[in-house]
Amino acid sequence: VIFEANRTAGHLTSGVILWNNVLLNVGSHYNSSTGRFTAPTDGMYEFHFGGIKNNVSGVTRLNLRKNGAFQIQNRLAEGDVYNQTYITTFLSLSASDYVDVEVVAGSFYSISVNYGRFGGRLIGY
C-alpha cells in the first residue's frame, strides 16, 4: 500500500486539496476526486505532504487530517513569498480511516506538478 499525488493547476485559499495527478497508487486507496487516502487495513502509516505558498507575505497553513480531525500542521512562514516546505509524519490508522490535507490559511500555490505533493505508505502493523 503506497501512493503519491500532486496538483497540476489552481491556487487554493481554503478547503481540502484535491491532488489530481496521481503518480503512484498501489492498491487504489487514494481518491483524487476527494483528496482522501483511505486505509485498507489497521496499521502504522507514514505520510508526507507540503508544497509552496503563493506570492503572499502572510503565513500559509496546511493541515493533515485524520477522519476530518487535525493531526499536524505544515506552516509556511510569513514574510517570504514562494516559501516551500514538507513534513513527514506517522499515524496509526484503523481500516476505513481516511487522511487528507486542508488549506486553512494563506494561499497554496499549485500550478506546477513539482511544487506540492501528498503521499503515504503502510509501514507495519
Side-chain angles (χ1 to χ4, degrees), residues 17-37:
I17 300 173
L18 302 180
W19 309 88
N20 64 301
N21 188 40
V22 179
L23 304 168
L24 181 65
N25 199 7
V26 176
S28 300
H29 303 292
Y30 173 72
N31 183 329
S32 61
S33 297
T34 62
R36 292 179 176 178
F37 167 81

Side-chain angles (χ1 to χ4, degrees), residues 55-74:
N55 185 16
V56 295
S57 60
V59 67
T60 295
R61 292 184 175 96
L62 308 177
N63 286 351
L64 184 78
R65 305 181 320 159
K66 173 183 169 182
N67 300 327
F70 170 80
Q71 298 298 303
I72 189 170
Q73 186 173 92
N74 193 335

Side-chain angles (χ1 to χ4, degrees), residues 78-118:
E78 63 272 351
D80 296 327
V81 298
Y82 299 117
N83 220 2
Q84 190 169 20
T85 184
Y86 283 86
I87 285 182
T88 299
T89 193
F90 302 92
L91 293 176
S92 178
L93 301 180
S94 298
S96 300
D97 283 348
Y98 70 87
V99 175
D100 58 19
V101 179
E102 176 185 38
V103 178
V104 295
S107 182
F108 180 69
Y109 186 69
S110 55
I111 201 164
S112 168
V113 296
N114 298 316
Y115 288 162
R117 299 246 173 142
F118 174 43

